[in-house]
Amino acid sequence: MGVAGRPLARQHCFRHSVPITIFLLLLLYLSARILGECPLPSAAPRRNSVVQALLLRCSMIRLSSGALLGCGSWAQACIPEGPPPFQGQQELGAQVPQRWKEPSCLEPQGMLGRMMRPFRASLNPAGDVELSQYLAGWRELVKLLTPLGSIFTFATSEASTKVTALEARLRGPDAEHYTSLAAMVAWERRAGLLRRPGAVPRDSARPSGSRTLLLLHRALRWSQLCLHRVATGALGGPDAGAQCSDAYRTALAPHHPWLIRHAARLAFLAFPGRGRLLELSCPGTTEAEARTALAQAAGTLEDVYNRTQGMLAELGLLQLA
C-alpha cells in the first residue's frame, strides 16, 4: 500500500473504533451503577436487618421466558415482583393485623354463650330437635331476657311455666317418648293426645307436650326477632321498643286476646333503650362488639326456629293452639 493510502486506512480504523470505545465506556458506567445499587455482601456478618432485607431483594432475580422478572429497565435495582415474604415483613417491622377476639359474653361461660350452646346442640344431624337441649337453651334464654324489662318478665314467666311442664314429661313415666320433637309427636298422636278437627283429646285438662312446645316455639320467634332488630337497627332509626313491639305484633299478637295485646302495647312504652339492652346482653364490650355478639345469638335462635317450624308444618301442628 502506498503512502497516500495510509491516511485513508487510519481514518477507516478511527471511524470504527469510536463506537466501540463509546459502547465500552457506557457498559462500564452501567456496571458501576448496578454494582452501586446492589452491593455485594461482605464476609463480615451484618446486624442491620434493613440491609439484609435489601440484599435479599437484590439477589432475588428470577428468569422467565429468558427475561429478568422484577428488574427495571437500565439501571433500576433488581426487586422481585409482589410483596416480600412474611418473614421479610416482620424483619422490616410491618404491623400484622391481629385476629378479632370474641367478646366474653360469647364464651362458653358467657351470658350469650350459655344460651347458644344448648340450642345449637338441640339440632341433631338427623334433622330432629332434641327436647332436653331445647329446654336447656330456653332456661338460659329466660335468664338472659328477665333483666331486660317488664315486658320480658311477662313473657319469660309464661315461658318458664311451659318449660317446667315439658321437663316434667321428660322425667315422667313416658320419658322414653319425649327424647325429640318427632318422637314426642308420634307417640302423642298414637296416644290420642293431639286434637284433631272436630275431636276432643282424651285428657282435656292436661295439654299435650306438642301443644306446649308450639307455644314456646312462637315465643322463641318473638325473642329472635327482637334481639336481631336490637343488634342490627340503624342509628337514627326506630328505637328498640318500637322494633320489639313490631316483632311482638308479627309473632305473638295474632295468637293473643285483646287484653293481653293491649297490656303488651303499654309495656313496650317503658322498654329500655338499645344501648341498655346491648350493655345487659354483652357487658364490658363496645357497642359494635355487643351488636355483633347479639346478632350471632339471634342467628342461633333463628336456626332453631326454622328447624322446628319446618317440622311442625310437615306434621300439621302449626294450628294446634
Side-chain angles (χ1 to χ4, degrees):
M1 179 180 299
V3 177
R6 291 178 181 175
L8 295 175
R10 291 192 186 98
Q11 292 178 4
H12 180 76
C13 293
F14 181 76
R15 284 198 306 267
H16 287 82
S17 62
V18 169
I20 296 176
T21 302
I22 293 174
F23 174 78
L24 292 175
L25 290 174
L26 182 59
L27 183 62
L28 290 173
Y29 171 75
L30 294 178
S31 300
R33 288 292 302 272
I34 293 174
L35 291 176
E37 292 181 5
C38 295
L40 294 175
S42 62
R46 295 184 181 273
R47 299 179 181 179
N48 191 324
S49 60
V50 177
V51 175
Q52 290 178 350
L54 290 174
L55 290 175
L56 176 63
R57 291 188 174 193
C58 290
S59 61
M60 292 179 66
I61 301 175
R62 295 170 293 177
L63 295 177
S64 177
S65 301
L68 291 176
L69 292 181
C71 294
S73 60
W74 295 100
Q76 294 180 355
C78 299
I79 302 176
E81 292 181 329
F86 179 72
Q87 183 178 1
Q89 292 181 11
Q90 288 183 320
E91 291 178 354
L92 293 174
Q95 296 295 327
V96 180
Q98 295 183 353
R99 180 184 176 187
W100 181 77
K101 184 179 179 181
E102 283 190 344
S104 58
C105 61
L106 286 177
E107 295 177 354
Q109 297 305 315
M111 185 175 297
L112 296 179
R114 293 196 306 269
M115 181 267 293
M116 294 165 65
R117 188 170 63 254
F119 269 128
R120 285 174 176 170
S122 71
L123 303 177
N124 68 23
D128 204 348
V129 177
E130 300 291 338
L131 291 182
S132 61
Q133 294 292 343
Y134 180 85
L135 297 177
W138 251 111
R139 284 292 184 193
E140 295 300 329
L141 180 59
V142 167
K143 294 177 184 178
L144 170 68
L145 298 180
T146 299
L148 300 186
S150 59
I151 184 63
F152 281 114
T153 303
F154 163 76
T156 53
S157 62
E158 289 294 315
S160 295
T161 301
K162 294 175 176 59
V163 168
T164 300
L166 272 177
E167 286 176 337
R169 293 177 181 269
L170 268 65
R171 296 189 298 266
D174 301 317
E176 61 180 313
H177 304 294
Y178 287 88
T179 56
S180 70
L181 173 56
M184 174 181 67
V185 172
W187 184 80
E188 289 190 340
R189 182 162 278 155
R190 292 195 305 269
L193 296 177
L194 301 183
R195 289 183 299 176
R196 297 183 300 275
V200 178
R202 295 178 183 175
D203 188 358
S204 58
R206 181 190 181 196
S208 66
S210 300
R211 182 179 184 276
T212 303
L213 186 134
L214 175 62
L215 298 176
L216 278 176
H217 172 67
R218 292 170 180 168
L220 185 70
R221 180 57 168 171
W222 173 60
S223 302
Q224 180 267 320
L225 287 175
C226 180
L227 296 182
H228 174 76
R229 293 175 184 182
V230 169
T232 60
L235 296 177
D239 60 19
Q243 290 181 317
C244 289
S245 178
D246 182 66
Y248 170 81
R249 287 193 297 270
T250 299
L252 288 178
H255 310 286
H256 285 171
W258 178 88
L259 186 61
I260 294 181
R261 294 199 306 269
H262 183 67
R265 183 175 62 84
L266 295 177
F268 278 116
L269 297 178
F271 203 74
R274 187 188 313 279
R276 180 59 177 162
L277 289 174
L278 291 172
E279 181 183 356
L280 291 172
S281 301
C282 198
T285 62
T286 65
E287 179 178 345
E289 290 173 336
R291 280 174 175 264
T292 301
L294 197 59
Q296 290 187 31
T300 296
L301 297 184
E302 185 175 19
D303 291 340
V304 176
Y305 173 83
N306 288 339
R307 171 76 66 86
T308 309
Q309 176 77 2
M311 293 187 65
L312 292 174
E314 184 177 352
L315 295 169
L317 299 179
L318 289 178
Q319 303 302 322
L320 190 61

